[in-house]
Amino acid sequence: MLRFAPSPTGDMHIGNLRVAILNYIIAKQMGVEFLVRIEDTDKARNIEGKDEEIMQLLEKFALIKDLTYHQSEHLHIHQTFAIRLLEEKKAFVCICSDEELSSDRDDAKSKSIAYRYSGKCENLTHEDYQKLKEEKIPFVIRLKKPIEPIINHDVIKGDISTAPNEIDSFVILRTDGTPTYNFACASDDMISDISMIIRGEDHLSNTPKQIHIKNLLGYTQVVKYAHLPIILNDNGKKMSKRDEASSVKWLLIEGFIPDAIINYLILLGNSKTPKEIFTLPDAIEWFKLEDISKSSARFDIDKLRFINREHLKMMDERKLSTIFGFADANIGKLAKLYLEESSTIKELEEKLKSIFKAKDFSSNEWIEQINTLREIIGSLDMIEDYNSFKNTISKMSGLKGKNLFKPLRLLLTGAEHGPELSEVYPFIKPYLLEIIS
């Protein structure tokens, strides 16, 4: 089983979506289930409704889950595991105060050395845990340090060895009885028998801790890891919430379609795809994690715009029409005429609005000719082909050349420039009375 484990603490980041996509692809390739685990144990940071938003976005991107649960549902299991480690003397209770710990950190900082827990409470046992509970004395549970190096066999980064002294006696259960991130994550991966973990390289420091937790709990399943390089912004820094394009919701609002976003995120940092434009089912056939570069990749909005345009070109015209509120496939065909100058749904919608919205030409230099053409076109029955239409209104109005085509384009499209009217006319002719009104 593979998993996508987002936290409901904000808008979905494109890095998280990339993780979800690749986990889904590998799960399909391996023929195993795809689990979505909402990591909601940090109650202070959770935002109401974000879990549902995550699920809706995954559905929009056709990343269909086989299983889902909220991590908080496993609280009792996390606590049971922690107590078991106490009983087996693989963990210990710690009553050090925040002031003591802060002082130790400051001392380490002043000496320019890495902070490590002092070990003051390492001899406190399960019996001490029972006594502290009875006397209602605040405590946390810490894991004992490993004795041997922790090896992470990473598909992208290669083998990574972490020395025992690099892993502190970290907290696994807080004073309120809730698990810390690493403990909940490792426990749930173990419970779900996750065979491969694909996530961002910002989790590299968490991996040896989680391996250590599973080792102490006696978990022997071999787990593969793949840590994806971070995505950089235009300034070469990690994309953050301050970068609008980092938000999946923002990309959708701006008119980028799911197929194109998926295409771009699979391409990112991967120069070995057999073609540049493809769909998710295509990628399932040939994608390899090993082909992803170890180096960070820069997010290129212009590249995404190009890919989005190509996917819009491929989209079924009737489906494209429905996005703009029409059932007529001709509106989708009309929209595609504007893909030479537009790249997103939002931009295409502006082009169509310009055609179909009420137009105000009161201050336009062509107002006299426009009014003449409006009156003539309004009196005609529908004329099937453009040349006959053009010739008829030219003859009836006496307008020719620039004096005909400039005002006619403005009247029909609301713009001075765009596709040839001969290309536009076949798709708008059923709506002429609406357009010129």
Side-chain angles (χ1 to χ4, degrees):
M1 185 182 296
L2 274 79
R3 50 76 159 177
F4 172 53
S7 299
T9 55
D11 289 353
M12 186 186 286
H13 188 281
I14 56 166
N16 286 339
L17 178 59
R18 183 191 189 198
V19 167
I21 292 166
L22 300 193
N23 272 286
Y24 178 82
I25 288 174
I26 301 301
K28 290 298 177 185
Q29 289 178 340
M30 294 172 63
V32 298
E33 291 179 311
F34 174 57
L35 163 70
V36 176
R37 181 175 77 218
I38 303 295
E39 299 197 330
D40 62 339
T41 56
D42 191 349
K43 295 178 182 178
R45 295 183 62 230
N46 292 342
I47 298 175
E48 187 175 354
K50 285 297 175 183
D51 52 351
E52 285 300 319
E53 189 176 285
I54 289 167
M55 302 311 296
Q56 289 166 6
L57 282 172
L58 293 177
E59 188 174 335
K60 186 179 286 286
F61 282 84
L63 303 175
I64 309 303
K65 65 188 184 305
D66 296 298
L67 300 165
T68 184
Y69 68 84
H70 285 64
Q71 197 167 52
S72 56
E73 297 172 32
H74 286 177
L75 175 61
H76 178 66
I77 298 173
H78 302 148
Q79 292 172 334
T80 300
F81 282 169
I83 302 308
R84 194 177 101 194
L85 291 171
L86 265 181
E87 291 172 341
E88 296 173 355
K89 298 184 179 179
K90 296 173 182 176
F92 59 93
V93 288
C94 173
I95 55 173
C96 293
S97 67
D98 289 342
E99 291 75 19
E100 285 180 88
L101 297 172
S102 181
S103 176
D104 288 346
R105 288 191 186 92
D106 290 342
D107 186 48
K109 187 176 180 180
S110 68
K111 296 175 181 176
S112 298
I113 59 174
Y115 166 75
R116 293 288 182 266
Y117 173 67
S118 66
K120 177 181 175 182
C121 299
E122 276 186 356
N123 294 321
L124 296 182
T125 63
H126 182 252
E127 289 72 24
D128 295 304
Y129 157 76
Q130 297 286 11
K131 186 177 179 181
L132 291 169
K133 274 192 73 176
E134 290 170 8
E135 297 178 4
K136 297 183 179 180
I137 297 173
F139 64 89
V140 298
I141 297 179
R142 291 180 180 271
L143 202 65
K144 289 189 175 179
K145 299 176 184 179
I147 298 172
E148 298 178 348
I150 302 293
I151 307 297
N152 161 24
H153 302 287
D154 197 282
V155 174
I156 296 172
K157 303 289 185 182
D159 285 355
I160 302 171
S161 177
T162 304
N165 62 1
E166 291 182 47
I167 301 176
D168 201 6
S169 295
F170 56 91
V171 175
I172 59 173
L173 217 61
R174 304 184 186 98
T175 54
D176 64 358
T178 60
T180 55
Y181 167 76
N182 279 307
F183 191 63
C185 184
S187 298
D188 285 338
D189 284 341
M190 188 177 78
I191 293 165
S192 301
D193 208 21
I194 301 299
S195 55
M196 186 172 198
I197 295 172
I198 305 168
R199 55 189 177 188
E201 68 179 14
D202 50 331
H203 285 283
L204 271 170
S205 62
N206 292 324
T207 298
K209 295 177 183 179
Q210 293 172 14
I211 293 173
H212 180 46
I213 291 165
K214 287 186 276 192
N215 287 344
L216 291 183
L217 286 169
Y219 188 66
T220 57
Q221 167 75 37
V222 175
V223 179
K224 289 184 179 180
Y225 290 85
H227 289 87
L228 305 170
I230 60 172
I231 302 173
L232 305 177
N233 62 17
D234 284 339
N235 299 319
K237 296 180 179 179
K238 180 181 177 181
M239 286 192 87
S240 68
K241 292 179 181 179
R242 290 187 293 274
D243 298 293
E244 287 182 324
S246 71
S247 166
V248 176
K249 188 194 294 187
W250 182 87
L251 291 174
L252 292 171
I253 290 171
E254 286 301 301
F256 293 97
I257 61 175
D259 281 352
I261 298 171
I262 288 174
N263 187 157
Y264 180 69
L265 291 177
I266 293 172
L267 270 180
L268 203 60
N270 184 355
S271 61
K272 296 183 179 179
T273 61
K275 51 186 177 179
E276 188 173 40
I277 306 300
F278 51 82
T279 64
L280 181 59
D282 293 334
I284 291 171
E285 296 297 317
W286 46 253
F287 178 79
K288 292 180 182 178
L289 275 172
E290 294 85 350
D291 290 340
I292 294 179
S293 170
K294 295 180 183 180
S295 304
S296 299
R298 186 167 298 203
F299 185 85
D300 184 347
I301 194 76
D302 290 330
K303 181 71 171 181
L304 177 56
R305 286 175 62 82
F306 164 74
I307 292 172
N308 202 65
R309 185 164 60 246
E310 294 305 306
H311 276 274
L312 287 171
K313 288 178 183 177
M314 296 189 300
M315 186 180 286
D316 175 77
E317 282 88 2
R318 191 172 297 280
K319 181 180 178 182
L320 185 55
S321 297
T322 60
I323 293 175
F324 303 116
F326 291 87
D328 181 2
N330 280 330
I331 300 302
K333 293 174 182 176
L334 173 62
K336 287 188 177 185
L337 292 179
Y338 286 91
L339 284 173
E340 292 302 315
E341 52 190 281
S342 306
S343 301
T344 68
I345 292 293
K346 186 176 181 180
E347 291 168 357
L348 289 178
E349 190 170 34
E350 286 302 312
K351 300 296 182 183
L352 294 182
K353 276 184 180 178
S354 184
I355 295 171
F356 287 97
K357 72 181 180 183
K359 305 174 184 70
D360 180 11
F361 299 113
S362 57
S363 59
N364 193 282
E365 62 178 309
W366 298 98
I367 182 63
E368 185 179 334
Q369 294 91 331
I370 289 171
N371 284 338
T372 298
L373 293 174
R374 179 184 278 138
E375 187 175 337
I376 291 170
I377 295 170
S379 69
L380 297 174
D381 292 330
M382 186 191 297
I383 299 174
E384 283 302 316
D385 69 282
Y386 174 70
N387 283 331
S388 298
F389 171 75
K390 174 190 67 176
N391 293 335
T392 299
I393 60 176
S394 177
K395 183 177 180 180
M396 293 178 69
S397 67
L399 298 173
K400 295 180 181 180
K402 180 180 177 181
N403 290 326
L404 171 66
F405 295 115
K406 274 277 190 181
L408 183 60
R409 174 178 288 281
L410 284 166
L411 179 61
L412 298 185
T413 70
E416 292 187 1
H417 306 285
E420 293 293 329
L421 287 180
S422 58
E423 296 178 318
V424 173
Y425 181 78
F427 306 127
I428 65 170
K429 62 188 178 186
Y431 306 95
L432 278 179
L433 293 182
E434 176 187 345
I435 288 170
I436 67 173
S437 62

